[in-house]
Amino acid sequence: MPGSAASADARSRDRLEMTELHSSVSEPVLDTMNFLNEVTHRYPDAISFAPGRPFDGSFDTEQVIGHIRRYLTHLAEQGGSPDDVRTALFQYGPTAGLIRDIIADSLRADEGIDVPAESIVVTVGAQEAMLLVLRALIAGPDDVLLVSSPCYVGITGAARLLDVRVRPVEEREDGFSAADLEAAVRDELANGRRPRAFYVVPDHSNPSGTTMGAEAREELLGLAERYDFLVIEDSPYRLVSPGTPLPTLKSRDRTRRVVHLGSYSKTVFPGARVGFVVADQRVREAAGGEHLLAADLTKIKSMVTVNTSSLGQAAVAGALLGAQGRLSRLNAGAADHYGEAMREMLRQLDARLPAARREALGVRWNEPTGGFFITMRVPFRVDNDQVVRSAEDFGVIWTPMSHFHPGTGGHHRIRLSTSCLTPAELEEGTARLVRYVEARSEALRRTEQAAQIPAREDVHVSGPSRCRRPRSKPRMWGWMFR
């Protein structure tokens, strides 16, 4: 029958095949956030240590309106006409950003980073900054991005989308090791590849919570110069943590080796979706001239997001102006809150799992001095199935650290976020978590003793069932990205 072959072919092509899509969409890391959101939907009464988002109690709607008005007043005081002010708020605006000079002033005041405004690109959160930097720096298949592992999934996810080769450098128990990084760099060079950049969160790292010491920072800068690679510094937690932070890598950078990423998601509010990148590296042109790397990032951004929301930039700029550029001052109360939440969680863990008990179980955790995250080591293997069991049987949710390892690893560690829970939730959540850890550890021990074989990973333990009814909306957004 005429046309039947064509109709059959059309029917066979009424859907796409996964094999026809870019392979990154099948990467497990891209499913992580959806998985945890889905678990939260299914178990709405579970207490979640998964989201690394700011505490909701610190937000004030009227404050946002005040920030925007302050910025508009600033524009008028700088000589802007009513038409200029209206255009700044409502129109697209320059691709590199409207508020670069305000950000530059803030960096000088708060971080000791003295760079010209033209070296800054305002981005849609730090996530876009990562994408722009990787697209600009990675020129070919032999260029390698080294990352401190466990690692923030935003950078490895961006690398995967861009087909960038990633080489993890595993943290030690106390964090970053310059010797291990140097060994990885030398190995890549020996295999004919170019270590292009090393990504690291020096302060209260996501996910491990570790902080790089002063000596290690100097060693890292020395390695970058010796082996001719760049350092991508990402530090969203330093100004919402108690105490005086160590100097940023960028403030100690004398040879323009550091590309500094910034985010206002934790220090102002995540809904603004405003971040930035400091890229003051000089780029030599074929004709002999030179320009700043920021100019190339701006060109890439013009083909990605065009520009960053003028309204979001206005809110952030108003917040910075109101604090005379000092985010540390603006966030003094938040830093106290997050510091106390971290200390309370550590107190609860210590009280419910005293030293002798946790040694018997094979459980331990680190003790960060700031940031949002604690890492707990457990004797049993943890994965997504265990998250579901923990939520269903014990009413508590956490994140497997294996999600944060670009290669293998993290199968006996969990990430615990303390940032967005009340003291009562921290107390009850810790109690539930300890019940889960004890039950799982004891069940595993009994299985090993009975069978006299290595630990089985399919032991299912039960506790009081709870958290069954559906819920209308998730509470997990922002657990990962910034």
Side-chain angles (χ1 to χ4, degrees), residues 130-146 159 162-166 194-198 232 300:
M130 295 175 200
L131 191 76
L132 301 181
V133 170
L134 292 184
R135 181 64 292 159
L137 293 183
I138 305 299
D142 291 330
D143 284 350
V144 179
L145 171 69
L146 298 103
L162 297 173
D163 291 319
V164 171
R165 183 190 296 270
V166 173
R194 179 174 68 155
R196 192 66 169 121
F198 174 61
I232 303 174
I300 298 170

Side-chain angles (χ1 to χ4, degrees), residues 397-458:
I397 300 170
W398 35 268
T399 309
M401 283 287 281
S402 56
H403 289 302
F404 302 98
H405 284 260
T408 59
H411 297 296
H412 291 269
R413 289 177 169 83
I414 64 178
R415 190 192 76 168
L416 302 169
S417 175
T418 63
S419 62
C420 61
L421 298 176
T422 65
E425 289 171 327
L426 285 170
E427 181 177 2
E428 176 60 23
T430 305
R432 296 181 186 185
L433 175 69
V434 168
R435 286 196 290 270
Y436 164 74
V437 170
E438 288 190 317
R440 184 78 175 98
S441 300
E442 288 293 345
L444 190 61
R445 183 182 61 81
R446 290 194 299 270
T447 301
E448 289 178 314
Q449 288 178 341
Q452 293 297 302
I453 59 173
R456 286 179 54 186
E457 301 303 337
D458 59 351

Side-chain angles (χ1 to χ4, degrees), residues 144-149 151 166-171 180 184 188 198 405-408:
V144 179
L145 171 69
L146 298 103
V147 299
S148 185
S149 178
C151 181
V166 173
R167 169 68 182 262
V169 181
E170 293 298 321
E171 286 185 354
D180 293 345
E188 292 298 324
F198 174 61
H405 284 260
T408 59

Side-chain angles (χ1 to χ4, degrees), residues 3-263:
S4 60
S7 298
D9 183 64
R11 283 195 301 273
S12 70
R13 300 297 296 170
D14 65 355
R15 61 182 59 84
L16 298 175
E17 302 294 333
M18 280 296 294
T19 54
E20 298 175 324
L21 304 181
H22 190 267
S23 58
S24 64
V25 301
S26 299
E27 284 288 314
V29 69
L30 271 65
D31 290 325
T32 301
M33 186 174 179
N34 287 335
F35 165 73
L36 289 168
N37 277 328
E38 192 268 336
V39 172
T40 301
H41 266 301
R42 284 166 57 191
Y43 307 103
D45 291 335
I47 294 174
S48 181
F49 289 106
R53 65 183 187 185
F55 181 57
D56 287 340
S58 62
F59 298 143
D60 180 351
T61 305
E62 291 302 316
Q63 192 176 52
V64 176
I65 297 170
H67 291 335
I68 295 172
R69 284 180 174 152
R70 185 180 296 110
Y71 175 63
L72 299 183
T73 299
H74 166 78
L75 291 179
E77 291 173 346
Q78 295 296 307
S81 69
D83 283 347
D84 294 333
V85 173
R86 184 171 61 249
T87 296
L89 192 63
F90 285 95
Q91 285 293 356
Y92 288 105
T95 299
L98 285 165
I99 63 172
R100 294 191 294 168
D101 55 337
I102 295 174
I103 293 174
D105 289 343
S106 176
L107 288 172
R108 275 189 290 272
D110 236 350
E111 298 284 30
I113 298 175
D114 189 3
V115 293
E118 57 266 26
S119 71
I120 296 170
V121 180
V122 185
T123 57
V124 182
Q127 189 64 39
E128 185 193 19
M130 295 175 200
L131 191 76
L132 301 181
V133 170
L134 292 184
R135 181 64 292 159
L137 293 183
I138 305 299
D142 291 330
D143 284 350
V144 179
L145 171 69
L146 298 103
V147 299
S148 185
S149 178
C151 181
Y152 171 57
V153 297
I155 190 71
T156 49
R160 185 66 188 88
L161 292 175
L162 297 173
D163 291 319
V164 171
R165 183 190 296 270
V166 173
R167 169 68 182 262
V169 181
E170 293 298 321
E171 286 185 354
R172 300 187 184 186
E173 285 291 328
D174 57 350
F176 166 79
S177 164
D180 293 345
L181 174 60
E182 183 172 18
V185 168
R186 292 171 67 90
D187 182 64
E188 292 298 324
L189 290 170
N191 283 283
R193 294 186 286 268
R194 179 174 68 155
R196 192 66 169 121
F198 174 61
Y199 171 88
V200 66
V201 180
D203 302 282
H204 316 298
S205 174
N206 178 7
S208 65
T210 59
T211 292
M212 186 184 297
E215 183 178 350
R217 294 176 193 235
E218 295 301 327
E219 290 175 338
L220 172 55
L221 293 173
L223 285 177
E225 186 168 5
R226 190 180 319 143
Y227 290 99
D228 191 25
F229 63 84
L230 296 175
V231 177
I232 303 174
E233 176 184 32
D234 184 12
S235 275
Y237 306 102
R238 54 187 281 112
L239 296 182
V240 290
S241 296
T244 302
L246 290 167
T248 62
L249 293 169
K250 188 61 184 174
S251 69
R252 305 292 295 170
D253 180 21
R254 301 292 176 259
T255 56
R256 305 193 190 209
R257 288 284 164 186
V258 179
V259 177
H260 182 83
L261 309 183
S263 170

